[in-house]
Amino acid sequence: MENLYWVSLAASVVALLFVLLQSKKVLAFPEGNELMKKISLAVRSGASAFLKRQYKTVTIFFGFMFIVLSIMAYFKFLTWYVPFAFITGGFFSGLSGFIGMSIATRANSRTAAAAQEGLNRGLRIAFSAGSVMGFTVVGLGLLDISIWYALLKLVFHESLETITAAMITFGMGASSMALFARVGGGIFTKAADVGADLVGKVEAGIPEDDPRNPATIADNVGDNVGDVAGMGADLYESYVGSIVSTCALGVLAFNQIASVDRVRAVAIPLIIAAVGVICSIIGTFFVKTKENADQKYLLGALRRGTNFSALAIAAASFVTVWFVLGKEFYGIWLSIVAGLFAGVLIGLCTEYFTSDTYKPTKKLAASSETGAATIIISGVGLGMLSTALPVIIVGIAIIAAYFCSTIGYAGNTELGLYGISLAAVGMLSTLGITLSTDAYGPVADNAGGIAEMAHLPDEVRERTDALDSLGNTTAATGKGFAIGSAALTALALIANFVEKLDATGSDYSLSLMDPKVLVGILVGACLPFVFSALTMNAVGRAAQSIVMEVRRQFREITGLMEGKAEADYATCVDICSKASLKEMIVPTLLAIASPIATGLLLGGSGVIGLLCGSLVSGFILAIFMANSGGAWDNAKKFIEAGNHGGKGSEQHKAAVVGDTVGDPFKDTCGPSINILIKLLSMVSIVFSGLIASVHLF
C-alpha cells in the first residue's frame, strides 16, 4: 500500500504516450494547399509569439512569489518544499496549455483539408487534436503529483501531513498560472473576436473570417491562446486541485479510524484518476459520425465516448474502493458515483440551454426578429434561468456524497468532507475525454476560418460550420463541467483551510452572527463581480482598439474592400497581445491579495466568510455567464444556417451584437471565475500560518 502512488505515475506515462501517438496521427494528415499552409502558419506564429510574451510576464510574478514563499519558509510559516512546489505547479500548468496549443495550431489546416473529403474525417482530426490537450492535462497533472509524493515519501521521508501540504501548494501555483492564462488569453481572443465581428459583419457586411478583415488572423490566434492554452491551464489546476485537496482530507478523515492506514485514503483519489485515464482513452475510440449528420447526431457521437468513460469509471472505482479501503466503505464509492453523474447531468443541462437543437437557443434566435435589445434581454434571462438546475444538481451531489461516505461512521465530519472532495475527483475523472471534446472546438473554428480565407468550396465551409457549432456546445458543456467541479473542490479546500487553522490553535468563528464572518461573506460575494468587471472592461478597451484599427485599414488601404490588397494582420495581433498582457495583471493580483488582506485584517473568521461568499456568488455567476454566452453564439450560428432571415439580414446583425456581448461572458469572465474561487482557497491555505499569527481584529 505504501507504493500505490506508482499506479498514478504509470497512468501518467500511459496518458503522455497516448498524446504522442495522437500527435503523430494528426501531423500525418496533409495540410492542404499552399494558401492554407500560409494561413495556418500565420495563426501558429501569432499564438506562439503571444504565449512567449505572456510567459515572460508570468515568470516575473512567479519569481516574486518564490521569494515571498521562501521568506515565509525561513520564518517557519511554511516548509521549505513549498516554494519549489509552487513553481512546478505553475510550470506544468503552463506546459500543458502550450503543448495542446502547439498541436491545435497545426491541426486547423489539416481539419479543413480533411473536411473536403467528408464530415467524419474532419471530426476525427479535430477530435484527435483535442485529445492531445485533454490527455496532456491529465498526464502532466498525475506526473507532477506522483513525482512530489515519491520525492517527499522516499527521499525525504516526510509525514503524510507534510506531503499533502506541499502538494496543495503546487495547486496554488497551477491556479495562479491558470488565471493568467485564462484571463490573458480570454482578453486576447474576445477583443479580436468582438472587433472583427462588429466592423466586419455589422458595418462592412462581409462574411465571418473573410480575408479582407484585418482582425481575422488575430481572431483565429485568440481561439488558440484562449480556448486551448487557457482552457488547458484552467482544467489542469481543476484536476490537480481536486486530487490534492482530497489527499489532504483523506489524512484527516482516517485519523480516528484505526482499521485503515491513512496511506490508503491518500491513494484512492490517485487511483481513481489513473483509472479515469485508461477509461477515457478507450472512450475516444467511440467518437465517430456519418456524413451529412445533423447537430443532434454529432452531439450523440461525442456523448458516446464520454458516457462510456463515465460508466466504466463507475464500475472500476467500485473495485478500487473495495480493494483499497474494504467493503465496509462502499459509501465512499457512492460518493464518487455521485460526482461522476453530477458532472454528466451538468453537461446535459448546459447542452440543453446552449445547443441550437433545443428550444431555449431557438427561442433566443427568434427574439432577433425585434432587434438587438430583445436578443440581449432574452440571453440574459436564459443564462439566469440556466443556473437553477446546476445548483440543484451540485447541492444533491454534496448531500449525497457527505452522507454516503459516512455510512457506518455517522458524525465523522472529516470523512463526510472527504466524500465531497472525492465527488469532485469523480466528476473530473473523465477529464481526458471531456477536455478532448472541449479543445476540439477551437480547432474546428480555425478550420472554418481557413476554409473561408482559402476560398474552399461551399460544402467544405458547411461541414466546418457544423463542426464549429458542435464545438460551441461542447465548449459550453466543458465550462459547465469545470464550474461544477470547481464548486465541489472549493468546498473541500475551505475545509482544508479550517483544518489548517485548527492545527495552528487559532481562534476563529463559524457563526453567521459573528460580524467578521458576515463582512467576509459580503466581501467574498462581491469579489466575482469586481473581478468580472475588470475583465469585461479589459475586453471592451482592447476591442475598441481593434475596432478603430480595422476601420482605419478599411479606410486607408486602397483596394482592401475589393480584395485587391492584403490587410495588415500583424498590427491587430500586436494590439491584442499588448492589451491582454497589460490587462491580465490586476485581476490576478486581486485574487491573490484579497484573502491575505482579509486575513490580516479580520483573521481566520473573515477569510472563512470570504471563501464561502465567493464560492456561492462565483459559482452562480460563472454558470450564468458561460451559458448566456454559449446560447448567444449558437443563436447566431442558427440564424447563419438560414433561419430568421439568414446571413446579412437585420436579424443576423442583431444576433451578432448579442454574440459580441456574450463573447467575454463565456470565454473571459465565466471560465475565469471558477479559477478565482479555487485560487482564493489555495492562497488562504498557503498563508494560513501567517493569517493565524498576524491579524488586526
Side-chain angles (χ1 to χ4, degrees), residues 582-603:
K582 176 185 175 183
E583 301 280 8
M584 73 180 184
I585 296 171
V586 174
T588 306
L589 292 180
L590 174 72
I592 293 170
S594 296
I596 300 173
T598 303
L600 294 176
L601 185 63
L602 301 176

Side-chain angles (χ1 to χ4, degrees), residues 246-464:
T246 307
C247 290
L249 283 173
V251 175
L252 298 167
F254 286 84
N255 262 336
Q256 306 301 320
I257 304 175
S259 61
V260 177
D261 188 338
R262 295 182 304 169
V263 172
R264 295 171 181 254
V266 173
I268 284 288
L270 295 173
I271 298 173
I272 296 299
V275 167
V277 169
I278 305 304
C279 294
S280 293
I281 288 175
I282 297 171
T284 61
F285 295 101
F286 287 83
V287 179
K288 54 186 176 181
T289 188
K290 62 182 181 181
E291 294 306 317
N292 302 316
D294 58 14
Q295 282 298 298
K296 197 167 184 178
Y297 191 91
L298 287 170
L299 279 170
L302 293 181
R303 199 184 294 149
R304 276 195 300 274
T306 55
N307 288 349
F308 168 83
S309 300
L311 291 172
I313 291 167
S317 61
F318 176 80
V319 177
T320 301
V321 172
W322 186 287
F323 172 71
V324 178
L325 293 179
K327 61 182 180 181
E328 67 270 25
F329 290 97
Y330 69 92
I332 294 289
W333 172 70
L334 293 175
S335 298
I336 296 168
V337 171
L340 257 175
F341 286 99
V344 172
L345 290 174
I346 288 174
L348 291 175
C349 288
T350 307
E351 181 184 310
Y352 175 73
F353 279 102
T354 59
S355 172
D356 60 15
T357 59
Y358 299 105
K359 286 184 180 179
T361 299
K362 288 182 178 179
K363 286 183 178 180
L364 180 61
S367 68
S368 66
E369 295 285 353
T370 48
T374 49
I375 200 171
I376 291 172
I377 292 168
S378 298
V380 170
L382 181 151
M384 289 179 172
L385 185 63
S386 72
T387 62
L389 281 176
V391 167
I392 293 170
I393 290 167
V394 169
I396 292 172
I398 288 171
I399 292 172
Y402 184 92
F403 286 105
C404 286
S405 61
T406 56
I407 293 175
Y409 294 89
N412 189 333
T413 303
E414 287 81 9
L415 189 59
L417 293 171
Y418 178 66
I420 293 172
S421 196
L422 270 175
V425 174
M427 190 180 288
L428 287 166
S429 60
T430 60
L431 184 62
I433 189 167
T434 305
L435 184 51
S436 300
T437 64
D438 192 334
Y440 133 92
V443 177
D445 193 355
N446 268 208
I450 290 173
E452 181 72 39
M453 286 184 275
H455 308 293
L456 298 183
D458 289 342
E459 63 266 20
V460 177
R461 185 61 203 249
E462 288 173 6
R463 291 169 186 157
T464 57

Side-chain angles (χ1 to χ4, degrees), residues 36 80 86-87 138 153 251 267 281 305 355 448 468 520 556 696:
M36 294 167 70
W80 69 268
F86 175 79
I87 294 296
V138 297
K153 185 71 176 176
V251 175
I281 288 175
S355 172
D468 182 21
E556 296 180 6
L696 187 58

Side-chain angles (χ1 to χ4, degrees), residues 464-475:
T464 57
D465 278 351
L467 295 175
D468 182 21
S469 183
L470 174 65
N472 287 334
T473 301
T474 57

